[in-house]
Amino acid sequence: MFASGRSNALTERDVLDALKGVKDPDLQRDLVDLGMIKEIQITETTLALTVELTTPACPLKAKIEADVREALTGRLGTARTIEIRMGAKVRGKGVAEKGDIPGVKNVIAVGSGKGGVGKSTMAAALAFGLQSYGAKVGLMDADVYGPSIPHIVGAQGRPMATPEQRIVPIDAHGLKVMSMGFLLEPDKAVIMRGPMLHGIMQQFLHQVEWGQLDYLVIDLPPGTGDVPLSLSQALPLTGAVVVCTPQEVALIDARRAVAMFRQLKVPMLGMIENMSFYDTPGGERVYIFGNGGTRREAERLQVPFLGEVPIDIKLRELGDEGEFDRVFDPANPARPYLLSVVEQLAAQISIQNIKTTRFPKLEILN
C-alpha cells in the first residue's frame, strides 16, 4: 500500500500512483496518462476526485468508476470517504489540420453502399443520441439529391445570414441542422454536376456558422459518388460509419462503401446493421432479411461492429411525423438498441482520436 501508516499525509502524488495501471477499457490507456484524473481534493476525512471521460456517451462509465474506487481503496489504505465525480469532455483529434472547421471537434460521415437501408434515419438517430448524453451536435444533410433530414428532424424555414455573410444553421430541438432541403422549393429536383456539388459541400462545411460542436454528423448520399470524394478533400474527417441491412445484396454494396472510405484514407469507425429483426406482438423474433450478416461482414473487413437496430413501426412514425427527437423516449422499443449503437460509436471516435493526441505532462500540486 502506498500510504500505509501515514494516512494523514496523503498527497496528490499518492492518489495518482494508486491509479497508475487503471485503464480505460476502450482506449486501453492509463487514466493518469490520459489526463482523465482531475480536481483531486484531500481532507482529513475525504478523498474526492473527478474522472473526466472522453465522451459523455462512454459505454463503460460504471466499470471505470468501479475500477477507480477499487484501486483507491485497495492501494491507499486510507479510512477517508472516497467521492468520485464522473464528468466528460469530448476530445478532438488533438492536432490541427488543414481544412478543419473552427470549433468543431469531430466530423463523422454516415454513408451506405445503396439506398433504402435507413442511412438518413441512422444519421439522425446518431445525432440525437449523442445530444441526449449532453454533447453539442450538428447534423449536415449532404444528400443533395434527396435531402430528407429536414423532414425527419422536423426542421423548417430558410437559413439566415450573419453580418459577415455566414449561414446560420436551422435549430431542430437543439441540433444545428443544414440541408439543401432548406434552399429548395417544394418538389423541385436538384440537377447539378460534380463541380457544383463540390462548391456546395465547401459552403456547407466552411461558410456555415456551426459554432462550438463536439460532433458534426454528416448524412451522405448513397453510393460512392462525388460527395464523399468532395468531403474527404474539403476537410479531415474523424471517420466514417457505414449503414447496412443483413441481406447479401446490401452487403455487396456495403463492401464497396468501406473500400471507398479506405481508399480516401478516412478511418472506419464502424458498421451498423439496420432492420436486423422484427419482434412480433406475440413475442417471436423474426429475421426478415437474414441473421447477423453485417456483424460477420464487419469482422471479415476488420471494421468495428456498432450494433443492430430492429424494424420498428415507431421509428417510421417518428420520421414521417418529423418528431425524431422523441426516438430516445423511454417508451420507444428501439431505444436500448439505438443507445448501444451511439455509445459504441462514441467509444470508437475516442479511440480514433487517442491515436493522434499528444498528452501534456502532469503537474503535481503537492
Side-chain angles (χ1 to χ4, degrees), residues 224 254-265 268 301:
T224 57
R255 294 181 198 121
R256 295 191 179 104
V258 171
M260 172 194 69
F261 286 121
R262 284 177 165 164
Q263 188 172 344
L264 295 174
K265 309 299 183 185
M268 279 301 308
L301 296 173

Side-chain angles (χ1 to χ4, degrees), residues 13 16 32-33 35 37 360-364:
R13 169 53 68 188
L16 293 174
V32 176
D33 292 341
I37 306 302
K361 293 183 178 180
L362 292 170
E363 295 183 4
I364 308 301

Side-chain angles (χ1 to χ4, degrees), residues 79-99:
R80 291 173 173 85
T81 299
I82 296 175
E83 298 177 0
I84 301 173
R85 300 175 293 264
M86 300 301 291
K89 182 180 180 181
V90 176
R91 302 183 184 186
K93 57 183 177 297
V95 290
E97 296 184 54
K98 183 179 179 180

Side-chain angles (χ1 to χ4, degrees), residues 36-302:
M36 293 169 66
I37 306 302
K38 307 282 188 181
E39 302 171 344
I40 298 174
Q41 299 170 325
I42 303 170
T43 70
E44 291 185 359
T45 59
T46 303
L47 165 59
L49 58 82
T50 297
V51 179
E52 187 179 80
L53 303 172
T54 57
T55 173
C58 177
L60 297 171
K61 176 180 178 179
K63 175 172 173 50
I64 293 173
E65 180 177 1
D67 289 348
V68 168
R69 186 175 298 279
E70 181 181 357
L72 292 175
T73 56
R75 300 177 188 177
L76 287 179
T78 176
R80 291 173 173 85
T81 299
I82 296 175
E83 298 177 0
I84 301 173
R85 300 175 293 264
M86 300 301 291
K89 182 180 180 181
V90 176
R91 302 183 184 186
K93 57 183 177 297
V95 290
E97 296 184 54
K98 183 179 179 180
D100 279 341
I101 306 172
V104 177
K105 295 179 181 178
N106 297 285
V107 183
I108 304 102
V110 180
S112 65
K114 66 187 293 294
V117 298
K119 168 189 54 60
S120 296
T121 299
M122 288 300 101
L126 293 175
F128 278 121
L130 291 166
Q131 183 198 52
S132 73
Y133 283 98
K136 297 177 182 178
V137 185
L139 178 57
M140 176 179 146
D141 187 355
D143 192 350
V144 294
Y145 294 117
S148 57
I149 287 295
H151 183 86
I152 292 173
V153 303
Q156 298 179 351
R158 285 185 176 272
M160 304 294 289
T162 68
E164 296 76 27
Q165 296 303 301
R166 294 181 61 79
I167 304 168
V168 179
I170 299 293
D171 182 277
H173 310 286
L175 287 184
K176 293 182 177 181
V177 182
M178 188 61 204
S179 171
M180 192 71 180
F182 297 137
L183 309 176
L184 295 173
E185 297 298 327
D187 302 323
K188 183 177 180 180
V190 179
I191 303 173
M192 60 181 67
R193 295 184 182 274
M196 297 174 67
L197 287 171
H198 183 76
I200 289 173
M201 291 301 100
Q202 288 279 3
Q203 191 172 24
F204 279 12
L205 291 169
H206 298 296
Q207 293 184 30
V208 170
E209 195 67 29
W210 290 111
Q212 300 294 316
L213 293 181
D214 295 315
Y215 305 99
L216 175 60
V217 178
I218 301 181
D219 178 30
L220 297 178
T224 57
D226 288 328
V227 172
L229 177 61
S230 293
L231 278 175
S232 65
Q233 293 173 337
L235 82 165
L237 294 166
T238 304
V241 173
V242 170
V243 180
C244 190
T245 48
Q247 70 270 42
E248 182 60 28
V249 67
L251 292 172
I252 291 171
D253 291 321
R255 294 181 198 121
R256 295 191 179 104
V258 171
M260 172 194 69
F261 286 121
R262 284 177 165 164
Q263 188 172 344
L264 295 174
K265 309 299 183 185
V266 176
M268 279 301 308
L269 298 173
M271 298 177 72
I272 301 171
E273 182 173 275
N274 193 26
M275 309 183 203
S276 289
F277 53 83
Y278 172 69
D279 287 334
T280 68
E284 180 185 3
R285 177 160 293 184
V286 181
Y287 293 91
I288 298 174
F289 299 117
N291 186 0
T294 306
R295 183 188 294 273
R296 290 190 296 271
E297 191 63 25
E299 291 174 355
R300 191 186 73 81
L301 296 173
Q302 297 184 317

